[in-house]
Amino acid sequence: MQITLHAPLDMHLHLRDGKMLKTVAPLSAKSFAAAIIMPNLVPPVSTIEEVVAYKKRILAVTEDEGFEPLMTLFFKDTYDFAFLQKAKKHIHAIKLYPAGITTNSEGGVSTIDSDALATTLQAMSDLDIPLLIHGESNGFVMDREKEFIPVYEELSQKFPKLTIIMEHITTKDSVEALHRYPNLYATITLHHLLITLDDVAGGMLQPHLFCKPIAKRPEDQKALLEVALNAHPKVMFGSDSAPHPQSAKESCGCAAGVFTAPIALPVLAQLFEEEGKLENLQAFVSDNAQKIYAYTSPKKEVTLEKKPFLVPKTHGTVVPMYADQEIAWRIKSVSL
Ligand code: NCD
Ligand code: ZN
């Protein structure tokens, strides 16, 4: 059995910088036509010069793969219309992090007050720049995403023309909120389709499955699977592949992030096939995103086949999901 995907897209990806960038970027570039690149470097990507330079560094390590890095800026409430007008030709979205909520988000927004942020948000709306949000409060870890929903509701009502993307949703509540407002969309990761909190902490603690937002309950996983497997037009694939060195994961004070880039497409094919929904994978990994972002991807065809593949133990210093385990599908060929 095999499937050919046209221009698979990863709409939420962490590539880091330096040596780590060199290790991980080619793995995504091999199988994806393009990806939305997260700006949470140290310091965060927040000027046009930084966007342009980071894109250049990514292209330098992914040349010949036919991969387009879709750049983002780290949200600042100082961005005004004039700045964003200039930035627009270099970026595809702006990512808003509540301050301190996840890896390298210390420079994020401390209070998400739609009036205080109105100048920037209105300019983004007028310029058709999507707003991507890491939607978590700083409450109890299992309730953070639910507690954030009123913020999404307020923003989507106040800025009805702004495309707002709830990044890496993990709960049934978020799926329900998505249906209530026409300008709300969501990315869904692979790992949140596969695991619940039980897989992370129900037995021996699994640091490589620890991420933000933390995996939730079985009913949440079920709600995510329902919209992803049916390729609901408001959801799209965003891996949130977030590499950290093995030493930072297998340590006291484990860094948050699951590294799925090298296995994302084959395991998606495996999941969609097992659930009898393989025909919906194209929409989930590409078509929906192209519509939501009004983006047309360059041509790239990735053929996956149902043949066992042994996932490497490590890529450089990073341990991928399913390390040293066999998965049922693999990449057969890529053509540009
Ligand atoms: C991400 C990272 O490491 O940059 N970590 C994670 O657990 N997902 C940041 C993020 O997307 O929250
Ligand atoms: Zn992320």
Side-chain angles (χ1 to χ4, degrees):
M1 193 185 301
Q2 63 176 52
I3 183 173
T4 296
L5 296 171
H6 306 281
L9 304 173
D10 183 346
M11 303 310 278
H12 183 132
L13 178 64
H14 298 271
L15 289 181
R16 315 302 190 202
D17 214 342
K19 220 172 152 199
M20 180 68 94
L21 171 69
K22 219 172 162 179
T23 304
V24 302
L27 299 165
S28 290
K30 184 179 168 205
S31 49
F32 290 93
I36 288 281
I37 310 300
M38 288 297 129
N40 62 332
L41 302 183
V42 187
V45 182
S46 50
T47 66
I48 298 172
E49 295 69 32
E50 283 163 355
V51 166
V52 171
Y54 188 31
K55 183 173 181 176
K56 237 183 170 169
R57 296 198 295 280
I58 296 168
L59 288 172
V61 295
T62 56
E63 53 185 351
D64 308 329
E65 298 282 10
F67 174 73
E68 187 172 25
L70 309 175
M71 306 307 291
T72 63
L73 275 167
F74 189 97
F75 185 96
K76 299 268 177 199
D77 60 8
T78 48
Y79 298 157
D80 59 11
F81 188 88
F83 169 78
L84 292 174
Q85 205 172 22
K86 276 188 246 146
K88 188 176 155 73
K89 67 171 185 294
H90 303 284
I91 60 167
H92 286 260
I94 296 180
K95 175 75 184 285
L96 187 155
Y97 292 90
I101 203 67
T102 189
T103 311
N104 306 338
S105 63
E106 291 70 22
V109 178
S110 23
T111 317
I112 302 179
D113 170 339
S114 59
D115 291 327
L117 308 183
T119 306
T120 306
L121 295 178
Q122 192 55 52
M124 289 174 64
S125 175
D126 294 342
L127 291 162
D128 285 325
I129 301 173
L131 173 69
L132 321 184
I133 306 185
H134 183 117
E136 288 194 286
S137 71
N138 47 22
F140 179 65
V141 70
M142 289 294 277
D143 297 334
R144 287 177 190 174
E145 191 169 297
K146 188 187 173 80
E147 287 174 358
F148 196 86
I149 289 176
V151 179
Y152 282 123
E153 296 188 323
E154 189 186 324
L155 294 176
S156 46
Q157 282 172 303
K158 280 211 175 157
F159 304 95
K161 296 220 160 75
L162 178 65
T163 295
I164 301 173
I165 302 173
M166 308 163 81
E167 292 294 313
H168 43 51
I169 58 169
T170 62
T171 64
K172 190 165 172 268
D173 302 296
S174 292
V175 172
E176 285 163 10
L178 185 63
H179 298 314
R180 286 201 292 276
Y181 299 93
N183 57 330
L184 271 188
Y185 301 89
T187 53
I188 299 180
T189 73
L190 172 63
H191 50 282
H192 291 117
L193 293 173
L194 297 169
I195 64 169
T196 67
L197 186 60
D198 247 5
D199 298 291
V200 186
M204 302 263 270
L205 190 66
Q206 300 300 319
H208 297 289
L209 298 181
F210 171 66
C211 68
K212 300 285 178 70
I214 192 111
K216 305 287 188 317
R217 299 171 174 280
E219 56 268 34
D220 295 309
Q221 183 194 19
K222 193 167 164 244
L224 298 177
L225 280 166
E226 169 73 23
V227 280
L229 291 170
N230 291 306
H232 187 286
K234 296 189 95 183
V235 304
M236 58 198 146
F237 176 63
S239 71
D240 195 16
S241 176
H244 292 276
Q246 187 167 10
S247 56
K249 295 289 290 174
E250 296 173 14
S251 78
C252 177
C254 163
V258 183
F259 181 49
T260 51
I263 52 111
L265 278 187
V267 177
L268 275 171
Q270 181 174 336
L271 172 69
F272 276 64
E273 189 234 335
E274 280 166 5
E275 301 293 333
K277 296 285 186 181
L278 206 49
E279 73 277 12
N280 291 339
L281 185 55
Q282 174 64 38
F284 182 61
V285 293
S286 185
D287 302 353
N288 289 357
Q290 299 202 46
K291 284 182 201 134
I292 295 165
Y293 271 79
Y295 167 70
T296 305
S297 169
K299 192 169 169 282
K300 182 167 188 170
E301 296 199 332
V302 179
T303 300
L304 300 153
E305 63 181 344
K306 192 174 178 184
K307 275 213 178 135
F309 176 77
L310 180 65
V311 179
K313 284 194 178 109
T314 52
H315 288 278
T317 60
V318 197
V319 178
M321 192 177 184
Y322 293 123
D324 206 27
Q325 292 176 50
E326 207 171 79
I327 56 175
W329 283 67
R330 66 177 177 188
I331 295 169
K332 184 184 181 197
S333 61
V334 178
S335 74
L336 296 178

